[in-house]
Structures are given as C-alpha cells and as structure tokens.
Amino acid sequence: MRWSRHLFDFSIARRRFPPATLDAIQHAIAASEHRHRGEIVFAVEGSLPLAEAFTRRTPRERAHEVFARLRVWNTEQNTGVLVYLLLAEHAIEIVADRGIAAKVAEDEWRQVCALMQARFAHGDYQGGAIAGIEAITAILVRHFPADGGPHRDELPDRPVVL
C-alpha cells in the first residue's frame, strides 16, 4: 500500500542525504551555475505528508508544487530547474521553467533521471546526485551558456530537505 511507504519512511531523506552529501551537492550546483545562465534547485523529500499519499498525488504533481513553493520559476531569464526526489516512491522528477522547457526536450530530462536512478539503486546517493547535476550542467551549457558577465545567483544552491 502506497500510504505505508510514506508512513514509515519519514526519516529516509536525512539518512540518504546527510550534511556532508548536502555540502557536496551544494558545491556541485555552485560550480555548475558559473558555466551557464540557469539556476538549479535540488529538493529531497523522504515521504509525502500522509494526507497527500492518500489522495494519490503523483510525484510529478508534487514536484510542480515544490517548484512553485521554492520559487524556482522566479528567475530573470526563466531558467530555473528543479531536481525533485521523492524517496519513498523512488521517484526523480525534473521540472524546468518555461525558458528552458522551450529548448530542452523531455527525453533529455528522462535520461538525467535514469542516470541518477542507476546510481541511487546501488546506494550511491551523493554520486548519483552529482552525476545528475553534471548532466544538467551539460544541457544548460549547450542551451544557455554563461555570457561572460558576473554570475548572479538568484536561488539558493543548498539542497532543500522537505
């Protein structure tokens, strides 16, 4: 039953993503954002609030809600990208703002998710997250390369544990 995964996995995010892993992800995002005009936000959620698990909210719907709540859409060039993990369901969702979505096919995001999922399946959460950020970086550099001006960090680089 879906709700039982959410009921018993409330601390999984902190176990899979301890402070040292969050630090490594933060550094990878900061380094990435100097190479392109995008903004990457990484959010991890162990489980849904129980009421939402009962309503059959999909991980994709939750990712869109988190995208709005964390204001990933609120960048000057509409170049925000959310990487959302819902650990209780082994779900990885990438939501891109409209400036990026107009240029990047959904298949590219699915490939990034598959890359991360393969590493996570072997228990390598830090390596999987950083590999995902590197793959996103390659996509953003291709479509939104840095323009040579000073980097304006519009969104926090620190991963969010929900």
Side-chain angles (χ1 to χ4, degrees):
M1 299 186 82
R2 179 181 191 221
W3 63 267
S4 66
R5 286 191 312 257
H6 293 275
L7 179 63
F8 297 112
D9 282 344
F10 57 89
S11 66
I12 193 170
R14 300 247 182 245
R15 289 192 315 268
R16 300 283 192 262
F17 291 87
T21 297
L22 297 177
D23 291 344
I25 295 168
Q26 179 178 350
H27 293 312
I29 290 171
S32 168
E33 290 178 354
H34 287 287
R35 299 182 53 208
H36 53 76
R37 296 186 320 270
E39 290 287 325
I40 300 172
V41 175
F42 195 94
V44 180
E45 190 161 36
S47 59
L48 291 173
L50 204 51
E52 290 190 33
F54 276 115
T55 64
R56 301 220 179 254
R57 169 170 258 159
T58 68
R60 186 73 179 170
E61 291 169 336
R62 180 65 172 174
H64 279 279
E65 178 185 317
V66 171
F67 181 88
R69 189 168 103 195
L70 297 179
R71 303 176 59 87
V72 180
W73 55 267
N74 193 24
T75 63
E76 187 175 332
Q77 296 180 359
N78 300 313
T79 55
V81 176
L82 172 70
V83 179
Y84 171 76
L85 309 179
L86 180 56
L87 299 176
E89 297 195 16
H90 306 284
I92 304 167
E93 297 289 343
I94 297 177
V95 180
D97 202 351
R98 62 188 173 273
I100 293 174
K103 294 186 177 189
V104 179
E106 280 297 316
D107 188 54
E108 288 189 77
W109 300 128
R110 280 192 290 274
Q111 290 174 22
V112 174
C113 293
L115 170 72
M116 294 172 68
Q117 188 64 44
R119 300 284 289 267
F120 293 167
H122 294 289
D124 184 9
Y125 290 92
Q126 180 173 320
I130 291 173
I133 291 164
E134 290 170 352
I136 292 168
T137 300
I139 292 168
L140 294 176
V141 165
R142 190 169 65 245
H143 295 287
F144 300 92
D147 56 12
H151 171 70
R152 182 171 162 244
D153 202 6
E154 297 180 74
L155 297 172
D157 296 337
R158 183 76 176 170
V160 178
V161 179
L162 303 167

